[in-house]
Amino acid sequence: MKILVTGGAGYIGSVTSAELIAAGHQVIVLDSLYQGHAQAVPPEATFIQADLADRSALARLFAEHADIDGIMHFASYTLVGESMQKPLLYLRDNLVYAANLLEFAVEAGVRRFILSSTANLFDEPAKMPIDEHERIVPGSPYGESKFFIERLLHWYERIYGLKYACLRYFNASGDTPGRGEDHDPETHIIPLILQVALGQRPQITIFGDDYPTPDGTCIRDYIHIVDLAQAHILALGALDRLGSRKYNLGNGSGFSVMEVLEMCRKVTGHPIPHVIGPRRAGDPATLIAASDSIRRELGWAPRYPDLESIITSAWAWHRTHPHGYGR
Ligand code: UDP
């Protein structure tokens, strides 16, 4: 299939583009490079540098590529914390990007759409692990923006017959030999800890040790980006057969921040000093996914189900790319 990947120069989008190409698909990457890296785009992909706010660029793209079979939409602002400081970037821009894309996509006859969504839809889960029946209570403007887009897709299916899958990721992590995590500024726990092991930071600050968890630090469900990429490819392939779907995506087991730190110490052999700081606003104590639906319906099975293999892959990337893509 010919697939348009928005945000295909980013952390998850670039790995998914590479996996799509390896699976025999043709890929067009659309990325503004506001956060992405040109070096992350697979050389086999057609690369278009443009912003989703740029309607004339979108018109050109769909005029030149009239035969797009599906879209994977990664391009968006993605940080919970930032969204609490700059809500309009999320509530307005993320929505406008998706709305522009959908408008041109449907006009061009695109029938399939995969959305990169988030566990931040579930701020008050009644049950842990969290399945797809959980009540949606976005935890931040970021989560709300993804919920808006899920609702857009709901109406685009009813009105235009677009088939879609919403993949609600828990904690995307890990790297591949050629592509990895390179955010500026970095805010995610695994790369930050590994930067301490590389001597780039003196210590890691743990945001709170007074949560209602066994060691007092937050528990998260870490899922490798290759496993996320495979979930996108499976979801795309099943849309015609199964119809629109929403899946929660994680490994189904939680690790505390302290356990992540201990595993990084083991994998790197570095003592990695830490201090305990205050809680970070908006962090729930525990987030673990129930991914039974995607396992059952699509046969999805993670290749990196354990924390050690995820961190080992991340350490391999950070050690060989201490400055990411070279900034
Ligand atoms: N965290 C931390 N120190 C940091 C960054 C993150 O203790 O410098 C914690 C954070 O509070 C959360 C967990 O690590 O409990 C995962 O955070 P991250 O930002 O990686 O992902 P999120 O859960 O926000 O998607």
Side-chain angles (χ1 to χ4, degrees):
M1 286 200 257
K2 187 166 178 180
I3 309 299
L4 171 64
V5 180
T6 74
Y11 173 46
I12 307 171
S14 65
V15 169
T16 305
S17 296
E19 294 283 318
L20 276 166
I21 290 164
H25 298 286
Q26 201 182 333
V27 171
I28 303 168
V29 165
L30 175 71
D31 200 297
S32 66
L33 297 185
Y34 171 65
Q35 298 170 95
H37 306 277
Q39 306 94 304
V41 178
E44 302 88 344
T46 302
F47 176 43
I48 299 170
Q49 184 178 352
D51 199 299
L52 283 167
D54 182 350
R55 296 171 57 81
S56 53
L58 280 172
R60 268 198 310 280
L61 187 156
F62 283 100
E64 279 167 27
H65 301 277
D67 50 350
I68 292 172
D69 298 297
I71 295 178
M72 294 191 180
H73 180 44
F74 295 93
S76 80
Y77 295 100
T78 60
L79 299 175
V80 169
E82 183 185 55
S83 80
M84 300 294 283
Q85 315 286 328
K86 300 177 183 169
L88 272 189
L89 269 191
Y90 289 76
L91 297 170
R92 179 188 56 204
D93 295 20
N94 277 357
L95 180 61
V96 166
Y97 295 158
N100 281 347
L101 179 62
L102 279 170
E103 180 186 340
F104 285 95
V106 163
E107 221 170 86
V110 177
R111 314 278 310 152
R112 306 174 190 87
F113 195 99
I114 312 291
L115 174 67
S116 160
S117 189
T118 176
N120 196 247
L121 298 184
F122 309 114
D123 200 42
E124 291 171 9
K127 262 196 350 241
M128 198 62 68
I130 301 169
D131 67 20
E132 292 81 5
H133 301 294
E134 184 55 70
R135 192 167 61 111
I136 292 184
V137 181
S140 69
Y142 167 58
E144 190 80 65
S145 74
K146 293 290 180 171
F147 184 48
F148 283 173
I149 303 170
E150 291 201 1
R151 295 303 299 166
L152 265 180
L153 289 169
H154 165 82
W155 290 109
Y156 265 66
E157 173 175 45
R158 277 193 55 182
I159 295 166
Y160 301 111
L162 180 74
K163 295 281 177 264
Y164 67 91
C166 301
L167 303 183
R168 287 95 168 246
Y169 319 156
F170 282 59
N171 285 62
S173 49
D175 298 292
T176 68
R179 294 180 179 81
E181 195 159 9
D182 179 3
H183 295 116
D184 182 23
E186 188 53 74
T187 62
H188 296 106
I189 188 70
I190 293 174
L192 285 175
I193 292 176
L194 296 180
Q195 286 174 3
V196 181
L198 285 170
Q200 297 172 341
R201 292 174 188 271
Q203 62 196 16
I204 183 77
T205 302
I206 293 183
F207 297 148
D209 68 350
D210 56 353
Y211 285 94
T213 61
D215 67 19
T217 65
C218 288
I219 292 178
R220 293 289 179 272
D221 184 340
Y222 295 87
I223 173 168
H224 197 281
I225 47 169
V226 166
D227 291 326
L228 281 180
Q230 288 302 325
H232 284 74
I233 294 171
L234 287 171
L236 176 78
L239 275 184
D240 293 351
R241 182 168 50 90
L242 296 180
S244 297
R245 283 288 183 275
K246 294 174 181 140
Y247 293 121
N248 292 359
L249 264 179
N251 274 312
S253 42
F255 293 93
S256 71
V257 178
M258 199 50 99
E259 287 172 324
V260 170
L261 175 58
E262 286 303 340
M263 185 58 79
C264 290
R265 286 176 172 147
K266 178 177 167 200
V267 167
T268 63
H270 189 285
I272 312 180
H274 76 277
V275 293
I276 306 294
R279 290 182 177 199
R280 184 173 67 178
D283 271 342
T286 302
L287 285 175
I288 302 171
S291 296
D292 308 25
S293 306
I294 190 165
R295 287 173 186 265
R296 192 178 56 246
E297 293 182 7
L298 305 188
W300 176 76
R303 289 185 213 164
Y304 298 87
D306 60 296
L307 187 64
E308 182 161 6
S309 58
I310 289 174
I311 291 176
T312 300
S313 76
W315 181 230
W317 159 263
H318 286 278
R319 227 178 15 184
T320 49
H321 302 77
H323 302 289
Y325 288 99
R327 230 186 356 264

